[in-house]
């Protein structure tokens, strides 16, 4: 896939850099969506760093 050639890009906000999906947004979204979760780039840096990708955690983070 053409888009995968841009993997390991740059703009990925996830600090779990050893993830095989890092920088490959389509796979990242597919993976977390299948688990009923959000992806890293929806969280504030502080919340992202906990690696809790649950929707509950996202809502708590969003409310501040
Ligand atoms: S959000 Fe999840 S799937 Fe995406 S790069 Fe980070 S750890 Fe990997």
């Amino acid at each position: 896939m053409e888009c995968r050639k841009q993997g390991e890009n740059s703009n990925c906000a996830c600090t779990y850099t050893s993830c095989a999906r890092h920088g490959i947004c389509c796979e990242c979204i597919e993976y977390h969506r299948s688990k009923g979760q959000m992806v890293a780039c929806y969280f504030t840096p502080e919340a992202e760093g906990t690696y809790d990708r649950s929707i509950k955690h996202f809502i708590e983070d969003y409310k501040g």
Side-chain angles (χ1 to χ4, degrees):
M1 289 171 57
E2 189 67 27
C3 67
R4 290 190 62 166
K5 291 181 180 174
Q6 295 172 4
E8 292 312 318
N9 72 38
S10 59
N11 296 324
C12 181
C14 185
T15 57
Y16 190 65
T17 55
S18 61
C19 175
R21 300 173 190 86
H22 196 267
I24 306 174
C25 303
C26 53
E27 291 189 6
C28 177
I29 292 168
E30 180 181 44
Y31 175 75
H32 283 290
R33 185 174 173 176
S34 74
K35 294 178 166 292
Q37 298 175 337
M38 305 291 286
V39 295
C41 50
Y42 276 83
F43 294 89
T44 59
E46 295 75 22
E48 188 281 325
T50 68
Y51 301 132
D52 180 350
R53 308 291 190 229
S54 68
I55 291 173
K56 180 176 184 284
H57 189 223
F58 168 73
I59 292 170
E60 290 167 356
D61 185 36
Y62 187 80
K63 285 181 176 176

